[in-house]
Amino acid sequence: MDEISEKRLALCHPLLREKVEAAATLCEAQGVYIRVVSGLRTYEEQDQLFFSCHHSDGTRDFTKPWKTNARGGWSNHNFGMAVDVAPSMHGKDVPFNPDWDVVHPAFQIMIRELKSQGLVWGGDWKQRDDDHFQLADVEVTPTTENRILFAKGGLPAVWASYRDDLSRMPRTEMA
Ligand SMILES: [Zn+2]
């Protein structure tokens, strides 16, 4: 993957990184070059995104393009467990130019390969989020426990509450 993607993935959960990299390699073999356009977000960045398409009372501002339903602490992006990914209009070693057209063959190949790694695709949700992919074994929406652990010990504390392969989430005591 390109350097920008790698930098973003380096801040995400290692399992997510592994899966996106594997999918990227499979995409490249088909002439499709993908980039992580967004990875880990702070709560503040998440809130900025939320209020870019919602009024200050939290209701949807339909004059603005939809970005997210999640406030800070309520998106898997805030815990390094989700990424937004897009293919480039161009090929290898040319400036990246995102192609947001979900029906384009390149986008479809990207979806197929990321899903084949077991990632959940936001395009399957009622509120479609076509460039969003997240780990399947964590909750679709982050939990109170995630937020408490994050407040106590940041990302390492959240990640440590799962097994490495995320196969099952041992419930830790909520103090
Ligand atoms: Zn996303």
Side-chain angles (χ1 to χ4, degrees):
M1 298 201 80
D2 65 0
E3 204 179 318
I4 292 174
S5 297
E6 289 294 355
K7 271 186 187 162
R8 289 174 177 151
L9 285 175
L11 302 173
C12 294
H13 191 283
L15 194 62
L16 180 59
R17 180 183 184 175
E18 200 177 285
K19 288 174 180 291
V20 174
E21 283 175 350
T25 302
L26 293 165
C27 284
E28 277 189 36
Q30 298 164 78
V32 174
Y33 299 90
I34 67 174
R35 170 178 283 180
V36 175
V37 293
S38 180
L40 179 67
R41 284 184 205 133
T42 64
Y43 284 17
E44 291 72 23
E45 288 165 339
Q46 188 68 38
D47 275 333
Q48 273 177 20
L49 209 58
F50 179 83
F51 287 109
S52 77
C53 59
H54 291 79
H55 299 291
S56 53
D57 67 357
T59 58
R60 177 80 174 90
D61 180 352
F62 289 101
T63 66
K64 308 282 172 54
W66 180 85
K67 296 287 182 191
T68 184
N69 288 337
R71 296 189 195 216
W74 292 80
S75 165
N76 275 308
H77 280 283
N78 303 142
F79 302 101
M81 292 176 168
V83 284
D84 298 337
V85 194
S88 181
M89 302 242 194
H90 304 311
K92 200 176 173 60
D93 300 326
V94 286
F96 183 86
N97 191 0
D99 181 359
W100 303 109
D101 180 6
V102 69
V103 300
H104 190 279
F107 209 111
Q108 289 296 314
I109 288 169
M110 180 189 84
I111 293 164
R112 190 176 68 222
E113 296 305 346
L114 286 162
K115 283 175 104 170
S116 78
Q117 296 298 317
L119 296 177
V120 167
W121 178 43
D124 287 329
W125 294 342
K126 202 166 88 181
Q127 168 66 69
R128 291 185 64 136
D129 194 354
D130 287 335
D131 60 10
H132 181 97
F133 297 85
Q134 65 181 43
L135 290 166
D137 297 302
V138 300
E139 291 86 350
V140 173
T141 302
T143 61
T144 303
E145 184 189 2
N146 291 148
R147 288 183 286 278
I148 290 172
L149 288 171
F150 185 79
K152 279 184 183 168
L155 274 189
V158 177
W159 292 353
S161 70
Y162 297 88
R163 291 187 188 175
D164 285 348
D165 65 356
L166 302 174
S167 60
R168 193 171 295 169
M169 290 156 289
R171 302 277 89 187
T172 53
E173 293 300 315
M174 281 210 285

